[in-house]
Amino acid sequence: MTNHIIDGKQIASQVTEKVKERVERLKDQGVTPGLAVVLVGNNPASQTYVNNKTKTCERLGMYSVMIELEENISEEALLAHVEALNNDNKIHGILVQLPLPKQIDEDRVIAAISPLKDVDGFHPESVGKMMIGQQTFLSCTPFGIMKLLEYSDVEIAGKHAVIIGRSNIVGKPMGQLLLQKDATVTYCHSKTKDLHTFTKQADILVVATGHAKMIDANFIKEGAVVIDVGINRDENNKLCGDVDFASAQEVASKITPVPGGVGPMTIAMLMENTCLAAENTLNN
Ligand code: NDP
């Protein structure tokens, strides 16, 4: 089997180059795209993600603000911050980094973000529009995976796509976007029996479970395209995916590594969504 590693870093840089050009055009028209990232508490993983997001904004010439709030902030106080950002003309995109502390209802916070600034694509209005194929902000990770497939010339129409995971931010929207491109889609989850009987049928296998290296070559059909969404630490504290890369690459025709696969695309799509939000203010 000729293996081919899908280079997410390289594809993400192609995507962000295009965003940079759009940012320049917007600036010529007097608009600097602005992203606000809200971080509650001091979860180290969240802090790393948030820093990467704001740094990428700066690199692309966009404006960014990071709002760091105490772990014990009340839901009302957080909602007041979101409302202020909704009304701030310099801010086109708002991202509240998840997970949020227990005292806060995540759904309520997500619903409070203006759909016009919902660059994470988590607001019920964005999700509803995505479901019926209307133009909207798409959830960044599945949106990024669609770009990875496009840039890697992976044919989707008529293929069997199997998604392991059904979270609102990855699994569910992933299946919908593949369905819109005419794949036949199967969702698997923790209650799925005989997981491998489904995964073995996949032409495109997307793994988003949060369990380090749980999918190895035994679960994969010869020649399948394997997309690994997971971000985990292995026994040596090294970053690894939900797929056992060494074993899976023996049978996959194309495969994403961790790190350097899906992760960089998630940030690139956030930049694209923020740029789109800023462009929308000129068009409305
Ligand atoms: P969630 O924990 O919200 O969802 C995990 C899903 O996997 C659930 O639907 C669960 O099923 C399913 N699952 C868990 N165990 C099994 C199993 N043994 N067999 C089959 N299905 C199983 O995670 P997320 O979707 O938020 O994230 C998934 C992974 O992707 C994580 O490692 C996360 O860190 C990573 N991630 C990476 C991003 C990136 O940019 N690269 C962005 C977002 C997430 P059930 O619904 O039945 O519980």
Side-chain angles (χ1 to χ4, degrees):
M1 174 66 47
T2 320
N3 288 307
H4 178 60
I5 296 171
I6 298 177
D7 186 346
K9 250 177 133 168
Q10 203 261 332
I11 298 173
S13 87
Q14 282 176 258
V15 170
T16 50
E17 252 336 282
K18 288 189 189 158
V19 173
K20 206 171 165 193
E21 286 164 20
R22 284 163 65 181
V23 170
E24 278 157 23
R25 281 200 293 276
L26 277 163
K27 282 181 159 175
D28 288 344
Q29 295 172 83
V31 177
T32 301
L35 174 70
V37 181
V38 180
L39 176 64
V40 181
N42 40 24
N43 175 327
S46 293
Q47 247 159 358
T48 308
Y49 297 145
V50 161
N51 286 336
N52 286 341
K53 287 165 185 173
T54 51
K55 265 197 233 147
T56 311
C57 272
E58 282 157 29
R59 189 164 58 74
L60 301 182
M62 293 160 63
Y63 168 67
S64 75
V65 284
M66 174 152 35
I67 296 168
E68 292 183 82
L69 303 169
E70 296 291 329
E71 177 85 26
N72 61 3
I73 189 171
S74 71
E75 187 174 293
E76 295 313 319
L78 175 57
L79 289 170
H81 279 281
V82 171
E83 192 50 27
L85 294 169
N86 281 341
N87 295 321
D88 183 340
N89 290 338
K90 291 200 298 298
I91 297 299
H92 304 96
I94 303 170
L95 179 155
V96 178
Q97 185 66 42
L98 303 179
L100 291 170
K102 284 190 294 291
Q103 74 276 15
I104 294 170
D105 179 349
E106 277 184 6
D107 289 343
R108 208 172 154 214
V109 174
I110 290 168
I113 296 171
S114 162
L116 301 173
K117 301 189 178 188
D118 176 38
V119 287
D120 247 345
F122 295 167
H123 191 284
E125 188 175 313
S126 308
V127 177
K129 284 184 168 173
M130 187 259 313
M131 282 293 291
I132 56 175
Q134 287 184 3
Q135 222 232 331
T136 187
F137 296 112
L138 299 174
S139 178
C140 298
T141 300
F143 187 18
I145 293 171
M146 294 307 286
K147 284 269 179 199
L148 278 182
L149 296 173
E150 181 191 324
Y151 276 67
S152 309
D153 293 323
V154 173
E155 213 183 297
I156 298 174
K159 300 293 178 191
H160 187 185
V162 176
I163 323 293
I164 321 180
R166 54 173 167 178
S167 69
N168 288 338
I169 64 172
V170 185
K172 276 185 202 151
M174 186 73 254
Q176 284 305 314
L177 295 180
L178 287 163
L179 183 65
Q180 278 165 18
K181 293 285 177 196
D182 299 326
T184 301
V185 176
T186 300
Y187 285 101
C188 299
H189 46 78
S190 68
K191 307 290 186 297
T192 300
K193 293 200 168 73
D194 300 324
L195 183 64
H196 80 282
T197 57
F198 297 99
T199 60
K200 274 284 203 183
Q201 296 173 36
D203 301 306
I204 300 169
L205 179 63
V206 182
V207 190
T209 66
H211 291 298
K213 302 184 189 177
M214 78 169 259
I215 297 299
D216 63 16
N218 294 318
F219 288 84
I220 300 167
K221 183 169 84 172
E222 187 87 24
V225 174
V226 178
I227 304 293
D228 187 356
V229 186
I231 303 177
N232 313 289
R233 296 267 168 196
D234 69 9
E235 55 286 358
N236 303 316
N237 204 32
K238 242 183 96 195
L239 273 185
C240 72
D242 294 350
V243 173
D244 181 353
F245 183 83
S247 149
Q249 69 159 345
E250 297 292 329
V251 289
S253 62
K254 297 184 190 215
I255 183 166
T256 58
V258 177
V262 173
M265 293 305 291
T266 299
I267 296 185
M269 302 331 287
L270 176 68
M271 298 301 124
E272 181 157 326
N273 279 349
T274 305
C275 195
L276 177 65
E279 286 164 353
N280 287 345
T281 61
L282 288 178
N283 300 332
N284 289 334

